[in-house]
Amino acid sequence: MTTLFDIPTTTVPVVDSDNEFPVRRIYCVGRNYAAHAREMGFDPDRDPPFFFCKPADSLVYCAPGSVAEAPYPSLTENYHHEIELVVAIGKGGSNIAVEDANEHIYGYAVGLDMTRRDLQIAMREKGRPWEVGKAFDASAPIGPIHPKAVVGLIEKGKIFVEVDGNMRQQSDLTHLIWSTPEVIANLSTLFELKPGDLIYTGTPEGVGPVVRGNIMRGGVETLGEIQVKVV
Ligand code: MN
């Protein structure tokens, strides 16, 4: 058998090492901070978490100390930033118990769940899938993976993003409605998790638009910062 053409494997560098984390799937959690659920017009009760996906090749790697570039996407006039903690899965499983979930984490990263908000809302109102609003090319900027073995469990700490120096989103991971272990446990009832999966854990309040020329600078405490210019 001959493979007709090569498709590049998406990888994310592991900080301070020669290792690269190969990416299998990207899962994202919707409405996981109460204040963000409210700003999107929803009551932040503790409904079970819900999920959507982005393609692995929608990642844009943001090297520390440099400014990555993301093209302004097509067919939107409301392109939004969502700063998020990203969990990298190192050990797979189904029906993972909450108390075992941390064993499945390889590490963490800072990510942006970039969103064509106008298209997402139009699809939502028609009861259609969110892909065109969420899963477009270059919709998932990400910084390097920080191994859990180095940084420990990330369960609290500041999360923020500013645009051209103006603070837009500022919260703390303690405000997650569903904690990282709870997200892993719930997601693993729906899909078998495997090494190489990434989970964007949701965004706090303050989402808003960016335009060409804006530079987003976002971070999570202990995981450093990423910078992305919209081009
Ligand atoms: Mn999000």
Side-chain angles (χ1 to χ4, degrees), residues 14 17 19 47 64 71 92 223 231:
V14 175
S17 83
N19 295 330
D47 276 343
L223 302 181
V231 298

Side-chain angles (χ1 to χ4, degrees), residues 71-140:
Y72 194 94
S74 62
L75 297 178
T76 184
E77 294 177 359
N78 202 14
Y79 174 49
H80 275 204
H81 54 77
E82 296 191 356
I83 189 72
E84 309 203 358
L85 169 70
V86 182
V87 175
I89 297 295
K91 177 184 158 193
S94 295
N95 300 311
I96 297 165
V98 173
E99 55 268 30
D100 298 332
N102 285 330
E103 296 169 19
H104 295 259
I105 298 174
Y106 173 78
Y108 303 91
V110 178
L112 280 162
D113 165 17
M114 297 305 295
T115 302
R116 292 195 279 213
R117 190 73 69 201
D118 42 2
L119 300 190
Q120 180 205 12
I121 289 172
M123 293 299 110
R124 193 179 78 194
E125 287 175 350
K126 290 176 179 167
R128 291 179 181 168
W130 284 12
E131 270 85 350
V132 297
K134 287 290 196 179
F136 53 92
D137 295 340
S139 62

Side-chain angles (χ1 to χ4, degrees), residues 109-185:
V110 178
L112 280 162
D113 165 17
M114 297 305 295
T115 302
R116 292 195 279 213
R117 190 73 69 201
D118 42 2
L119 300 190
Q120 180 205 12
I121 289 172
M123 293 299 110
R124 193 179 78 194
E125 287 175 350
K126 290 176 179 167
R128 291 179 181 168
W130 284 12
E131 270 85 350
V132 297
K134 287 290 196 179
F136 53 92
D137 295 340
S139 62
I142 192 168
I145 307 281
H146 294 253
K148 183 185 68 177
V150 176
V151 296
L153 291 173
I154 304 289
E155 294 175 334
K156 57 181 166 42
K158 291 183 187 2
I159 179 169
F160 79 96
V161 66
E162 59 179 41
V163 177
D164 293 345
N166 300 309
M167 190 63 74
R168 291 280 191 90
Q169 294 184 265
Q170 191 171 23
S171 188
D172 193 283
L173 299 175
T174 55
H175 293 142
L176 282 165
I177 296 172
W178 296 95
S179 69
T180 295
E182 289 172 330
V183 165
I184 292 168

Side-chain angles (χ1 to χ4, degrees), residues 27-33 36-37 47-52 82 84 113 120 130 134 177-178 200-203:
Y27 295 103
C28 304
V29 187
R31 292 176 217 139
N32 202 15
Y33 290 79
H36 173 63
D47 276 343
F50 71 92
F51 303 96
F52 57 92
E82 296 191 356
E84 309 203 358
D113 165 17
Q120 180 205 12
W130 284 12
K134 287 290 196 179
I177 296 172
W178 296 95
Y200 281 60
T201 58
T203 199

